[in-house]
Amino acid sequence: MITIDKVTKKFRKTTVLDSLSLELGKGDRVALIGSNGAGKTTLIRCILGQYVHSGTVSVNGLQSRGNREKILGEIGFVPQIAPPLKMPVVELLHFCAGTARIDVDSIIDICQRLEVEYDVLKKRPFSKLSGGQKQKILIAIAMARKPELIILDEPTANLDPHARQILFEMLAERGDLPVLISSHRLEEVAGLVNRIIELDRGRVVLDDAVEDGGDMSVRIDCRITLARTDDAFANTISGWKFSTDENRTTWKGQVAGADRLRFFGVLARYSGLVDALEMGSKQENQGDGK
């Protein structure tokens, strides 16, 4: 689906991509990882046809630079940094719907599924929203277009755990939709992918298939027992939509299967506080977004 052949990109005297070659096919769910400055975002911009470079980038056989309009019509892209748009949210959604030739209600439906309070926010300037609100709206715009490929640049940076679960479910609903996810932390996206590509100084230093992350719509029942109450833990776990008993020492909830590594990382910060952790049966989400 994407062919990258000997692509080199320089900014003045700095080489950001160094004769980089890759093939990404249908069914690939790729984690593009690497430290800041490794070339991840620059590579994405080249795929989108935004940069002049040496070498070639093609999507479905079309050169990205010469066919930007057609290629962008097939790609859903969620940037790491939201554009500083001053137009009200309602105008942005109508503009994007018109450009993509889709019903604006399809974008609004996904916004609401992601728990964006559309009726409250629709008249606010997009630039005045929180980072999480912006990211949810950009995801809704990208997914509503039903793209042939979706590219997510640091997709979970501003999303709460429940919103990430909903994003995973939407990706799962698209079956074999090719996905390219850029992240500087593998544990953030490991459960979503079946291939890992690591960049360092503009070169591929790792390209490896991994065990399939499994069904992204799966949720895992979880029960946590604490040695004592703790306000910091309560604030953290509440963000995962866990509920507790009146003593606040037993917490119950569900964790997205694709988010379990991130969840373990959170619990590791409270290892001296957790008496017991039980993770039980896996459940299929029924598509209610809740």
Short mmCIF file of all heavy atoms in Angstrom, two decimals, residues 219-276:
data_model
loop_
_atom_site.label_atom_id
_atom_site.label_comp_id
_atom_site.label_asym_id
_atom_site.label_seq_id
_atom_site.Cartn_x
_atom_site.Cartn_y
_atom_site.Cartn_z
N ARG A 219 -12.22 -6.11 26.38
CA ARG A 219 -12.02 -5.48 27.68
C ARG A 219 -11.79 -6.56 28.72
O ARG A 219 -12.41 -7.62 28.66
CB ARG A 219 -13.24 -4.64 28.08
CG ARG A 219 -13.58 -3.52 27.10
CD ARG A 219 -14.77 -2.73 27.58
NE ARG A 219 -15.15 -1.68 26.63
CZ ARG A 219 -16.07 -0.76 26.87
NH1 ARG A 219 -16.71 -0.75 28.03
NH2 ARG A 219 -16.37 0.15 25.97
N ILE A 220 -10.91 -6.30 29.67
CA ILE A 220 -10.55 -7.29 30.69
C ILE A 220 -11.05 -6.81 32.05
O ILE A 220 -10.74 -5.70 32.50
CB ILE A 220 -9.02 -7.49 30.74
CG1 ILE A 220 -8.50 -7.90 29.35
CG2 ILE A 220 -8.65 -8.54 31.78
CD1 ILE A 220 -6.99 -7.95 29.28
N ASP A 221 -11.84 -7.66 32.71
CA ASP A 221 -12.32 -7.35 34.06
C ASP A 221 -11.15 -7.28 35.02
O ASP A 221 -10.24 -8.12 34.97
CB ASP A 221 -13.32 -8.41 34.53
CG ASP A 221 -14.63 -8.36 33.76
OD1 ASP A 221 -15.01 -7.27 33.33
OD2 ASP A 221 -15.26 -9.42 33.60
N CYS A 222 -11.18 -6.31 35.90
CA CYS A 222 -10.05 -6.10 36.81
C CYS A 222 -10.56 -5.72 38.20
O CYS A 222 -11.52 -4.96 38.36
CB CYS A 222 -9.15 -5.00 36.26
SG CYS A 222 -7.68 -4.68 37.23
N ARG A 223 -9.89 -6.27 39.22
CA ARG A 223 -10.20 -5.95 40.62
C ARG A 223 -8.88 -5.68 41.35
O ARG A 223 -7.94 -6.49 41.27
CB ARG A 223 -10.94 -7.13 41.27
CG ARG A 223 -11.25 -6.95 42.77
CD ARG A 223 -11.78 -8.25 43.33
NE ARG A 223 -11.98 -8.20 44.76
CZ ARG A 223 -13.16 -8.02 45.36
NH1 ARG A 223 -14.25 -7.89 44.61
NH2 ARG A 223 -13.27 -7.98 46.67
N ILE A 224 -8.80 -4.56 42.05
CA ILE A 224 -7.59 -4.17 42.77
C ILE A 224 -7.93 -4.01 44.24
O ILE A 224 -8.90 -3.34 44.60
CB ILE A 224 -7.04 -2.83 42.24
CG1 ILE A 224 -6.78 -2.90 40.73
CG2 ILE A 224 -5.76 -2.44 42.98
CD1 ILE A 224 -6.52 -1.55 40.10
N THR A 225 -7.13 -4.65 45.09
CA THR A 225 -7.29 -4.51 46.54
C THR A 225 -6.08 -3.77 47.10
O THR A 225 -4.93 -4.16 46.84
CB THR A 225 -7.42 -5.88 47.22
OG1 THR A 225 -8.51 -6.60 46.63
CG2 THR A 225 -7.67 -5.72 48.72
N LEU A 226 -6.34 -2.71 47.87
CA LEU A 226 -5.27 -1.89 48.43
C LEU A 226 -5.03 -2.21 49.89
O LEU A 226 -5.93 -2.65 50.61
CB LEU A 226 -5.62 -0.40 48.30
CG LEU A 226 -5.94 0.13 46.90
CD1 LEU A 226 -6.23 1.64 46.99
CD2 LEU A 226 -4.80 -0.13 45.94
N ALA A 227 -3.81 -1.96 50.34
CA ALA A 227 -3.48 -2.13 51.75
C ALA A 227 -4.10 -1.02 52.59
O ALA A 227 -4.40 -1.22 53.77
CB ALA A 227 -1.96 -2.13 51.93
N ARG A 228 -4.33 0.14 51.96
CA ARG A 228 -4.93 1.28 52.67
C ARG A 228 -5.48 2.24 51.62
O ARG A 228 -5.20 2.11 50.43
CB ARG A 228 -3.89 2.00 53.53
CG ARG A 228 -2.75 2.59 52.72
CD ARG A 228 -1.69 3.25 53.59
NE ARG A 228 -0.67 3.92 52.79
CZ ARG A 228 0.32 3.31 52.18
NH1 ARG A 228 0.48 2.00 52.31
NH2 ARG A 228 1.19 4.01 51.46
N THR A 229 -6.25 3.18 52.07
CA THR A 229 -6.75 4.18 51.14
C THR A 229 -5.63 5.14 50.75
O THR A 229 -4.67 5.35 51.51
CB THR A 229 -7.89 4.99 51.77
OG1 THR A 229 -7.40 5.65 52.94
CG2 THR A 229 -9.06 4.09 52.14
N ASP A 230 -5.76 5.71 49.56
CA ASP A 230 -4.73 6.64 49.09
C ASP A 230 -5.37 7.58 48.08
O ASP A 230 -5.90 7.14 47.05
CB ASP A 230 -3.57 5.88 48.44
CG ASP A 230 -2.43 6.78 48.05
OD1 ASP A 230 -2.46 7.29 46.89
OD2 ASP A 230 -1.52 6.98 48.86
N ASP A 231 -5.34 8.88 48.36
CA ASP A 231 -6.00 9.86 47.49
C ASP A 231 -5.37 9.93 46.10
O ASP A 231 -6.07 10.07 45.09
CB ASP A 231 -5.99 11.25 48.13
CG ASP A 231 -6.91 11.34 49.34
OD1 ASP A 231 -7.82 10.49 49.46
OD2 ASP A 231 -6.71 12.26 50.16
N ALA A 232 -4.05 9.83 46.04
CA ALA A 232 -3.37 9.91 44.74
C ALA A 232 -3.76 8.73 43.86
O ALA A 232 -4.03 8.89 42.66
CB ALA A 232 -1.85 9.94 44.94
N PHE A 233 -3.82 7.53 44.47
CA PHE A 233 -4.24 6.35 43.71
C PHE A 233 -5.69 6.51 43.25
O PHE A 233 -6.03 6.19 42.10
CB PHE A 233 -4.10 5.09 44.55
CG PHE A 233 -4.53 3.85 43.83
CD1 PHE A 233 -3.64 3.16 43.01
CD2 PHE A 233 -5.84 3.38 43.95
CE1 PHE A 233 -4.04 2.01 42.33
CE2 PHE A 233 -6.25 2.24 43.28
CZ PHE A 233 -5.34 1.55 42.46
N ALA A 234 -6.53 7.02 44.13
CA ALA A 234 -7.94 7.20 43.79
C ALA A 234 -8.11 8.13 42.60
O ALA A 234 -8.90 7.87 41.69
CB ALA A 234 -8.70 7.74 45.00
N ASN A 235 -7.35 9.23 42.59
CA ASN A 235 -7.43 10.17 41.47
C ASN A 235 -6.97 9.52 40.17
O ASN A 235 -7.57 9.72 39.11
CB ASN A 235 -6.60 11.42 41.77
CG ASN A 235 -7.20 12.28 42.84
OD1 ASN A 235 -8.41 12.25 43.07
ND2 ASN A 235 -6.37 13.05 43.52
N THR A 236 -5.90 8.73 40.26
CA THR A 236 -5.35 8.09 39.07
C THR A 236 -6.30 7.03 38.52
O THR A 236 -6.62 7.01 37.32
CB THR A 236 -4.00 7.43 39.39
OG1 THR A 236 -3.06 8.45 39.78
CG2 THR A 236 -3.45 6.70 38.17
N ILE A 237 -6.77 6.14 39.37
CA ILE A 237 -7.59 5.01 38.89
C ILE A 237 -8.98 5.46 38.48
O ILE A 237 -9.63 4.82 37.64
CB ILE A 237 -7.66 3.90 39.97
CG1 ILE A 237 -7.90 2.54 39.31
CG2 ILE A 237 -8.68 4.21 41.03
CD1 ILE A 237 -6.77 2.05 38.45
N SER A 238 -9.45 6.58 39.02
CA SER A 238 -10.75 7.10 38.61
C SER A 238 -10.73 7.50 37.13
O SER A 238 -11.75 7.45 36.44
CB SER A 238 -11.15 8.31 39.47
OG SER A 238 -11.37 7.90 40.80
N GLY A 239 -9.57 7.89 36.65
CA GLY A 239 -9.42 8.22 35.24
C GLY A 239 -9.60 7.03 34.33
O GLY A 239 -9.86 7.19 33.12
N TRP A 240 -9.51 5.84 34.88
CA TRP A 240 -9.73 4.60 34.13
C TRP A 240 -11.18 4.12 34.28
O TRP A 240 -11.51 3.01 33.91
CB TRP A 240 -8.76 3.51 34.59
CG TRP A 240 -7.33 3.78 34.22
CD1 TRP A 240 -6.51 4.69 34.80
CD2 TRP A 240 -6.58 3.15 33.19
NE1 TRP A 240 -5.27 4.65 34.20
CE2 TRP A 240 -5.29 3.71 33.21
CE3 TRP A 240 -6.87 2.14 32.26
CZ2 TRP A 240 -4.29 3.32 32.31
CZ3 TRP A 240 -5.88 1.74 31.38
CH2 TRP A 240 -4.60 2.34 31.41
N LYS A 241 -12.01 4.95 34.89
CA LYS A 241 -13.43 4.65 35.09
C LYS A 241 -13.65 3.48 36.05
O LYS A 241 -14.61 2.73 35.93
CB LYS A 241 -14.13 4.35 33.75
CG LYS A 241 -14.03 5.47 32.73
CD LYS A 241 -14.86 6.67 33.14
CE LYS A 241 -14.87 7.72 32.02
NZ LYS A 241 -15.65 8.91 32.32
N PHE A 242 -12.74 3.31 37.02
CA PHE A 242 -12.91 2.29 38.05
C PHE A 242 -13.83 2.84 39.15
O PHE A 242 -13.82 4.04 39.44
CB PHE A 242 -11.57 1.90 38.66
CG PHE A 242 -10.84 0.82 37.91
CD1 PHE A 242 -10.63 0.91 36.53
CD2 PHE A 242 -10.37 -0.30 38.57
CE1 PHE A 242 -9.95 -0.08 35.85
CE2 PHE A 242 -9.70 -1.31 37.89
CZ PHE A 242 -9.49 -1.20 36.52
N SER A 243 -14.58 1.95 39.75
CA SER A 243 -15.43 2.31 40.88
C SER A 243 -14.89 1.61 42.13
O SER A 243 -14.12 0.65 42.05
CB SER A 243 -16.87 1.88 40.62
OG SER A 243 -16.96 0.48 40.41
N THR A 244 -15.34 2.08 43.30
CA THR A 244 -14.80 1.56 44.55
C THR A 244 -15.90 1.32 45.58
O THR A 244 -17.05 1.76 45.41
CB THR A 244 -13.75 2.54 45.12
OG1 THR A 244 -13.13 1.95 46.27
CG2 THR A 244 -14.40 3.85 45.52
N ASP A 245 -15.52 0.62 46.64
CA ASP A 245 -16.46 0.41 47.75
C ASP A 245 -16.37 1.61 48.69
O ASP A 245 -15.60 2.54 48.47
CB ASP A 245 -16.14 -0.90 48.49
CG ASP A 245 -14.72 -0.91 49.07
OD1 ASP A 245 -14.03 0.14 49.01
OD2 ASP A 245 -14.30 -1.96 49.57
N GLU A 246 -17.17 1.59 49.73
CA GLU A 246 -17.22 2.74 50.64
C GLU A 246 -15.92 2.94 51.40
O GLU A 246 -15.61 4.05 51.85
CB GLU A 246 -18.39 2.59 51.62
CG GLU A 246 -18.31 1.36 52.52
CD GLU A 246 -19.51 1.24 53.43
OE1 GLU A 246 -20.51 1.96 53.21
OE2 GLU A 246 -19.43 0.42 54.36
N ASN A 247 -15.13 1.88 51.52
CA ASN A 247 -13.85 2.00 52.22
C ASN A 247 -12.72 2.47 51.31
O ASN A 247 -11.62 2.76 51.77
CB ASN A 247 -13.46 0.65 52.84
CG ASN A 247 -14.42 0.22 53.93
OD1 ASN A 247 -14.87 1.06 54.73
ND2 ASN A 247 -14.75 -1.06 53.97
N ARG A 248 -12.97 2.51 50.02
CA ARG A 248 -12.01 2.93 48.99
C ARG A 248 -10.73 2.08 49.00
O ARG A 248 -9.64 2.57 48.69
CB ARG A 248 -11.65 4.41 49.16
CG ARG A 248 -12.85 5.35 49.01
CD ARG A 248 -12.43 6.72 48.53
NE ARG A 248 -11.33 7.28 49.28
CZ ARG A 248 -10.64 8.35 48.89
NH1 ARG A 248 -10.94 8.95 47.76
NH2 ARG A 248 -9.66 8.82 49.62
N THR A 249 -10.88 0.80 49.35
CA THR A 249 -9.73 -0.11 49.29
C THR A 249 -9.89 -1.19 48.23
O THR A 249 -8.92 -1.89 47.93
CB THR A 249 -9.51 -0.79 50.66
OG1 THR A 249 -10.71 -1.45 51.07
CG2 THR A 249 -9.08 0.22 51.71
N THR A 250 -11.09 -1.33 47.69
CA THR A 250 -11.32 -2.28 46.60
C THR A 250 -11.85 -1.52 45.40
O THR A 250 -12.84 -0.79 45.50
CB THR A 250 -12.32 -3.37 47.01
OG1 THR A 250 -11.81 -4.08 48.13
CG2 THR A 250 -12.55 -4.34 45.86
N TRP A 251 -11.18 -1.68 44.26
CA TRP A 251 -11.54 -0.97 43.04
C TRP A 251 -11.83 -1.97 41.94
O TRP A 251 -11.09 -2.95 41.77
CB TRP A 251 -10.41 -0.04 42.61
CG TRP A 251 -10.18 1.09 43.57
CD1 TRP A 251 -9.46 1.05 44.73
CD2 TRP A 251 -10.68 2.43 43.46
NE1 TRP A 251 -9.48 2.26 45.36
CE2 TRP A 251 -10.21 3.15 44.60
CE3 TRP A 251 -11.46 3.09 42.52
CZ2 TRP A 251 -10.51 4.48 44.80
CZ3 TRP A 251 -11.76 4.42 42.71
CH2 TRP A 251 -11.29 5.12 43.85
N LYS A 252 -12.90 -1.75 41.19
CA LYS A 252 -13.29 -2.64 40.09
C LYS A 252 -13.49 -1.83 38.81
O LYS A 252 -13.97 -0.70 38.85
CB LYS A 252 -14.59 -3.38 40.43
CG LYS A 252 -14.49 -4.31 41.63
CD LYS A 252 -15.83 -4.98 41.89
CE LYS A 252 -15.78 -5.89 43.11
NZ LYS A 252 -17.10 -6.53 43.37
N GLY A 253 -13.12 -2.46 37.71
CA GLY A 253 -13.32 -1.80 36.42
C GLY A 253 -12.87 -2.71 35.29
O GLY A 253 -12.63 -3.90 35.49
N GLN A 254 -12.78 -2.13 34.11
CA GLN A 254 -12.33 -2.86 32.94
C GLN A 254 -11.17 -2.12 32.28
O GLN A 254 -11.13 -0.89 32.28
CB GLN A 254 -13.47 -3.03 31.93
CG GLN A 254 -14.57 -3.97 32.41
CD GLN A 254 -15.62 -4.19 31.34
OE1 GLN A 254 -15.87 -3.32 30.50
NE2 GLN A 254 -16.24 -5.35 31.35
N VAL A 255 -10.26 -2.90 31.74
CA VAL A 255 -9.09 -2.37 31.05
C VAL A 255 -9.12 -2.85 29.61
O VAL A 255 -9.40 -4.03 29.35
CB VAL A 255 -7.78 -2.83 31.73
CG1 VAL A 255 -6.57 -2.35 30.95
CG2 VAL A 255 -7.73 -2.35 33.17
N ALA A 256 -8.86 -1.97 28.68
CA ALA A 256 -8.77 -2.39 27.29
C ALA A 256 -7.63 -3.38 27.13
O ALA A 256 -6.54 -3.18 27.67
CB ALA A 256 -8.53 -1.17 26.40
N GLY A 257 -7.89 -4.46 26.41
CA GLY A 257 -6.84 -5.44 26.18
C GLY A 257 -5.60 -4.82 25.57
O GLY A 257 -4.47 -5.14 25.94
N ALA A 258 -5.81 -3.88 24.65
CA ALA A 258 -4.68 -3.22 23.99
C ALA A 258 -3.98 -2.22 24.89
O ALA A 258 -2.91 -1.72 24.54
CB ALA A 258 -5.17 -2.52 22.72
N ASP A 259 -4.57 -1.92 26.05
CA ASP A 259 -4.01 -0.92 26.96
C ASP A 259 -3.41 -1.55 28.21
O ASP A 259 -3.04 -0.84 29.14
CB ASP A 259 -5.11 0.06 27.39
CG ASP A 259 -4.68 1.52 27.26
OD1 ASP A 259 -3.57 1.76 26.75
OD2 ASP A 259 -5.45 2.40 27.66
N ARG A 260 -3.31 -2.87 28.24
CA ARG A 260 -2.92 -3.50 29.50
C ARG A 260 -1.47 -3.18 29.90
O ARG A 260 -1.19 -3.05 31.11
CB ARG A 260 -3.12 -5.02 29.43
CG ARG A 260 -2.38 -5.74 28.33
CD ARG A 260 -2.85 -7.19 28.23
NE ARG A 260 -2.16 -7.93 27.19
CZ ARG A 260 -2.50 -7.92 25.91
NH1 ARG A 260 -3.53 -7.19 25.51
NH2 ARG A 260 -1.82 -8.62 25.03
N LEU A 261 -0.55 -3.02 28.94
CA LEU A 261 0.83 -2.68 29.31
C LEU A 261 0.89 -1.30 29.94
O LEU A 261 1.61 -1.09 30.93
CB LEU A 261 1.73 -2.74 28.08
CG LEU A 261 2.05 -4.14 27.53
CD1 LEU A 261 2.97 -4.02 26.32
CD2 LEU A 261 2.69 -5.02 28.60
N ARG A 262 0.13 -0.39 29.39
CA ARG A 262 0.08 0.96 29.98
C ARG A 262 -0.51 0.89 31.39
O ARG A 262 -0.04 1.56 32.31
CB ARG A 262 -0.76 1.87 29.09
CG ARG A 262 -0.80 3.33 29.55
CD ARG A 262 -1.77 4.11 28.68
NE ARG A 262 -1.80 5.52 29.10
CZ ARG A 262 -1.32 6.53 28.40
NH1 ARG A 262 -0.74 6.29 27.24
NH2 ARG A 262 -1.41 7.76 28.83
N PHE A 263 -1.54 0.06 31.56
CA PHE A 263 -2.19 -0.09 32.87
C PHE A 263 -1.20 -0.65 33.90
O PHE A 263 -1.12 -0.16 35.03
CB PHE A 263 -3.40 -1.01 32.73
CG PHE A 263 -4.15 -1.25 34.00
CD1 PHE A 263 -4.88 -0.23 34.59
CD2 PHE A 263 -4.14 -2.50 34.60
CE1 PHE A 263 -5.59 -0.45 35.77
CE2 PHE A 263 -4.84 -2.72 35.78
CZ PHE A 263 -5.56 -1.70 36.36
N PHE A 264 -0.43 -1.68 33.51
CA PHE A 264 0.57 -2.23 34.42
C PHE A 264 1.60 -1.18 34.80
O PHE A 264 2.08 -1.15 35.95
CB PHE A 264 1.28 -3.43 33.77
CG PHE A 264 0.39 -4.63 33.59
CD1 PHE A 264 0.60 -5.51 32.54
CD2 PHE A 264 -0.66 -4.89 34.44
CE1 PHE A 264 -0.21 -6.62 32.36
CE2 PHE A 264 -1.49 -5.98 34.27
CZ PHE A 264 -1.26 -6.85 33.22
N GLY A 265 1.95 -0.32 33.86
CA GLY A 265 2.90 0.74 34.16
C GLY A 265 2.37 1.71 35.21
O GLY A 265 3.11 2.18 36.07
N VAL A 266 1.06 1.99 35.12
CA VAL A 266 0.44 2.87 36.12
C VAL A 266 0.46 2.20 37.49
O VAL A 266 0.82 2.81 38.50
CB VAL A 266 -1.02 3.20 35.70
CG1 VAL A 266 -1.76 3.87 36.85
CG2 VAL A 266 -1.02 4.10 34.47
N LEU A 267 0.07 0.91 37.55
CA LEU A 267 0.04 0.21 38.83
C LEU A 267 1.43 0.08 39.44
O LEU A 267 1.57 0.05 40.67
CB LEU A 267 -0.57 -1.18 38.65
CG LEU A 267 -2.08 -1.24 38.38
CD1 LEU A 267 -2.55 -2.69 38.39
CD2 LEU A 267 -2.87 -0.42 39.39
N ALA A 268 2.46 0.00 38.60
CA ALA A 268 3.83 -0.14 39.12
C ALA A 268 4.21 1.03 40.01
O ALA A 268 5.03 0.88 40.93
CB ALA A 268 4.81 -0.27 37.95
N ARG A 269 3.61 2.19 39.76
CA ARG A 269 3.91 3.36 40.60
C ARG A 269 3.36 3.20 42.01
O ARG A 269 3.75 3.94 42.92
CB ARG A 269 3.34 4.63 39.95
CG ARG A 269 3.80 4.88 38.53
CD ARG A 269 3.67 6.34 38.15
NE ARG A 269 2.32 6.85 38.28
CZ ARG A 269 1.46 6.94 37.27
NH1 ARG A 269 1.81 6.53 36.07
NH2 ARG A 269 0.25 7.45 37.46
N TYR A 270 2.42 2.26 42.19
CA TYR A 270 1.79 2.05 43.50
C TYR A 270 2.02 0.62 44.00
O TYR A 270 1.19 0.07 44.72
CB TYR A 270 0.28 2.32 43.38
CG TYR A 270 -0.05 3.71 42.90
CD1 TYR A 270 -0.30 3.96 41.56
CD2 TYR A 270 -0.11 4.78 43.80
CE1 TYR A 270 -0.61 5.24 41.11
CE2 TYR A 270 -0.41 6.06 43.37
CZ TYR A 270 -0.65 6.29 42.01
OH TYR A 270 -0.96 7.55 41.57
N SER A 271 3.15 0.04 43.62
CA SER A 271 3.41 -1.37 43.95
C SER A 271 3.40 -1.63 45.45
O SER A 271 3.01 -2.72 45.90
CB SER A 271 4.74 -1.82 43.35
OG SER A 271 5.81 -0.99 43.81
N GLY A 272 3.81 -0.66 46.25
CA GLY A 272 3.81 -0.84 47.70
C GLY A 272 2.43 -0.71 48.32
O GLY A 272 2.24 -1.06 49.49
N LEU A 273 1.49 -0.26 47.53
CA LEU A 273 0.13 -0.02 48.03
C LEU A 273 -0.83 -1.15 47.65
O LEU A 273 -1.79 -1.42 48.38
CB LEU A 273 -0.38 1.31 47.46
CG LEU A 273 -1.76 1.80 47.87
CD1 LEU A 273 -1.79 2.12 49.36
CD2 LEU A 273 -2.14 3.04 47.05
N VAL A 274 -0.56 -1.81 46.53
CA VAL A 274 -1.48 -2.82 46.00
C VAL A 274 -1.25 -4.16 46.71
O VAL A 274 -0.15 -4.71 46.67
CB VAL A 274 -1.31 -3.00 44.49
CG1 VAL A 274 -2.18 -4.13 43.97
CG2 VAL A 274 -1.65 -1.69 43.77
N ASP A 275 -2.29 -4.65 47.37
CA ASP A 275 -2.23 -5.96 48.02
C ASP A 275 -2.51 -7.10 47.04
O ASP A 275 -1.90 -8.16 47.12
CB ASP A 275 -3.25 -6.03 49.16
CG ASP A 275 -2.61 -5.82 50.52
OD1 ASP A 275 -1.36 -5.70 50.57
OD2 ASP A 275 -3.34 -5.77 51.52
N ALA A 276 -3.48 -6.88 46.15
CA ALA A 276 -3.87 -7.94 45.22
C ALA A 276 -4.38 -7.32 43.93
O ALA A 276 -5.01 -6.26 43.93
CB ALA A 276 -4.95 -8.83 45.83
#
